[in-house]
Amino acid sequence: MKNSVKYIAVTVCFCVFLGFFLGMSAYRFFNPVDISLSERRPLALFPKNITLESIIDKSFMTGYEAYSADQFPFREFFRTLKAHVQLNILQLKENNSIAVKNGYFVKTEKEFSDALCTYSLGRLDYVYNKYLKDSKGNKYLCLIPDKNYFFKSEFNYPAPDYEQLKDKSVKALPDFQYIDIFDTLKLSDFYYTDTHWRQERLCAVTEKVAAEMGIEDNISWNYKENVLEGFAGVYYGQSGLRPEKDTLIYLSNETLDSCTVFDYETNETINIYAPELISGKDGYDVFLYGAKALLRIDNPGNTEGKELVIFRDSFASSFAPLLTQAYSSIYLVDIRYISPDVLGNFIDFDGKDILYLYSSLVINQKAFK
């Protein structure tokens, strides 16, 4: 009799559990979640085209597998549980290719793709041949290491061959003077939960770049630090662990306060910093309002007429303001969002200094138009 009661209780609990998850799955089917804010990506939806052909070529099942994983009930809870089990209980080095050490999070990379790097450098060479080859301005190339570089040197994690990437980049762009900043950076110069470097820690980088570009006499490290709490970097949600949020500090002084920024996308004048965006989808948007195709920073305090064009990714959003003292204007071009073919409509490159400033993360992607 006791065994019968036990079996009935187990069966009832199982049926309730199964029914609950079936109900929640049905609810998610009719009320799917389009975007994962924590992972900063769209979630897969139920495949629209259910045809005999899609079933035969397995495209329907592929889409359904992605949908069932992304729309699983209580997905965020189970993501967090899995991450804690993988990293804290099983003591594995990474979870979903995200490693954590001494509070620092990084998406691990084992090697650079030769095809992707060749593509990226080819697009930069295309820009050079189209606009810069006959320009009388100085041309500089600077690569930014990602946190994998420091995880290898400090914690012996596997990482790509950065020296090979340097050599490949220099050979692909021989008319550019290479500025090596790898030895000016440390892991502590980066945010714990994000890919980017910390603006307030870039004194050594700024001094090295300014010296190589011959503008060191115009640069002084005299700033006020403005503190913003609650910066949730890209790995804050992607890791599933929900660690402590970072502190974001942006630098200001009289020069930066007087600068204006023209946004060619909106034909509007904006500020260098947008502190109100710290709690938005990407808190790093505090610097120059995030992803923008083409910007121009004007410094009314510099009347010499010297101008700089930075071909860049998001790392330059926090670095470019530190060079404003040396230039009347700085153009920021992100060819991930604007075709190189139209740049001549907005910028006369002749006589301007040119800086290719890119992180290794972007060079190892097919991101450029």
Side-chain angles (χ1 to χ4, degrees):
M1 183 66 179
K2 290 183 178 180
N3 287 337
S4 298
V5 173
K6 180 176 69 175
Y7 294 147
I8 292 173
V10 170
T11 301
V12 169
C13 289
F14 175 75
C15 291
V16 170
F17 177 83
L18 187 63
F20 176 75
F21 268 89
L22 286 174
M24 290 302 302
S25 297
Y27 176 81
R28 289 297 292 270
F29 176 81
F30 292 105
N31 301 276
V33 179
D34 295 331
I35 297 175
S36 170
L37 295 177
S38 61
E39 297 172 272
R40 301 184 186 179
R41 70 174 182 88
L43 296 178
L45 302 178
F46 192 86
K48 293 182 178 180
N49 297 322
I50 308 177
T51 63
L52 180 61
E53 182 181 356
S54 68
I55 295 175
I56 293 175
D57 65 16
K58 300 181 181 179
S59 61
F60 169 76
M61 287 308 301
T62 299
Y64 180 78
E65 286 176 7
Y67 158 78
S68 59
D70 279 2
Q71 300 295 337
F72 193 80
F74 306 104
R75 180 172 176 274
E76 287 298 316
F77 168 79
F78 286 109
R79 284 184 65 242
T80 300
L81 179 64
K82 175 178 178 289
H84 278 290
V85 170
Q86 294 273 84
L87 296 173
N88 298 327
I89 298 178
L90 300 180
Q91 295 293 300
L92 299 182
K93 278 195 166 185
E94 58 187 55
N95 173 54
N96 293 334
S97 297
I98 295 179
V100 57
K101 198 73 175 178
N102 293 358
Y104 288 94
F105 289 77
V106 67
K107 188 173 181 63
T108 57
E109 296 285 349
K110 304 299 189 297
E111 60 184 16
F112 292 124
S113 166
D114 185 66
L116 293 176
C117 292
T118 297
Y119 171 82
S120 298
L121 294 170
R123 293 305 294 164
L124 296 180
D125 185 54
Y126 174 80
V127 172
Y128 164 75
N129 283 295
K130 187 173 181 64
Y131 297 110
L132 312 175
K133 189 173 184 178
D134 299 321
S135 171
K136 297 179 177 63
N138 301 308
K139 304 172 186 67
Y140 306 95
L141 167 66
C142 186
L143 299 178
I144 305 168
D146 64 276
K147 287 197 284 190
N148 278 285
Y149 178 78
F150 304 99
F151 264 54
K152 179 180 181 180
S153 61
E154 296 188 23
F155 310 125
N156 201 32
Y157 273 68
D161 189 337
Y162 290 87
E163 291 300 321
Q164 187 179 58
L165 178 64
K166 290 183 193 179
D167 293 341
K168 187 179 181 68
S169 301
V170 170
K171 289 177 181 177
L173 302 163
D175 288 345
F176 286 73
Q177 177 184 334
Y178 180 65
I179 303 174
D180 194 337
I181 62 170
F182 279 54
D183 61 353
T184 67
L185 287 164
K186 304 184 295 295
L187 181 60
S188 58
D189 297 329
F190 293 77
Y191 294 106
Y192 286 104
T193 65
D194 199 56
T195 59
H196 295 102
W197 53 16
R198 308 177 68 99
Q199 188 188 48
E200 76 278 10
R201 300 297 300 267
L202 298 182
C203 180
V205 174
T206 305
E207 290 178 347
K208 178 68 175 291
V209 172
E212 294 284 339
M213 296 176 65
I215 58 173
E216 66 271 26
D217 292 340
N218 300 94
I219 301 294
S220 63
W221 193 264
N222 183 21
Y223 295 102
K224 172 188 173 184
E225 293 190 354
N226 305 274
V227 179
L228 297 175
E229 300 292 349
F231 171 46
V234 64
Y235 301 130
Y236 176 82
Q238 287 184 0
S239 69
L241 295 175
R242 298 301 177 93
E244 288 188 17
K245 294 182 179 180
D246 272 290
T247 297
L248 185 148
I249 297 175
Y250 67 93
L251 303 176
S252 61
N253 59 18
E254 187 176 345
T255 297
L256 290 176
D257 290 343
S258 66
C259 287
T260 59
V261 183
F262 183 73
D263 184 349
Y264 285 83
E265 291 183 56
T266 61
N267 288 321
E268 295 177 343
T269 298
I270 59 177
N271 298 318
I272 286 181
Y273 301 117
E276 68 275 10
L277 298 182
I278 185 64
S279 58
K281 181 180 178 181
D282 185 351
Y284 190 74
D285 288 352
V286 165
F287 299 103
L288 290 172
Y289 287 77
K292 295 286 185 179
L294 181 59
L295 300 172
R296 187 188 71 242
I297 304 175
D298 294 317
N299 175 15
N302 186 314
T303 58
E304 296 178 3
K306 190 177 179 66
E307 296 183 318
L308 169 68
V309 181
I310 303 178
F311 288 86
R312 57 94 175 210
D313 55 32
S314 55
F315 278 75
S317 293
S318 57
F319 181 68
L322 306 181
L323 301 180
T324 52
Q325 298 169 77
Y327 292 95
S328 297
S329 295
I330 296 178
Y331 294 82
L332 295 166
V333 182
D334 195 334
I335 59 172
R336 294 175 299 173
Y337 306 110
I338 185 171
S339 171
D341 293 327
V342 303
L343 291 178
N345 298 330
F346 304 101
I347 306 174
D348 178 6
F349 292 94
D350 191 44
K352 293 179 175 59
D353 285 349
I354 305 296
L355 174 61
Y356 279 179
L357 180 67
Y358 286 102
S359 68
S360 55
L361 293 171
V362 168
I363 296 296
N364 193 41
Q365 299 175 8
K366 193 173 183 179
F368 297 149
K369 289 184 177 292

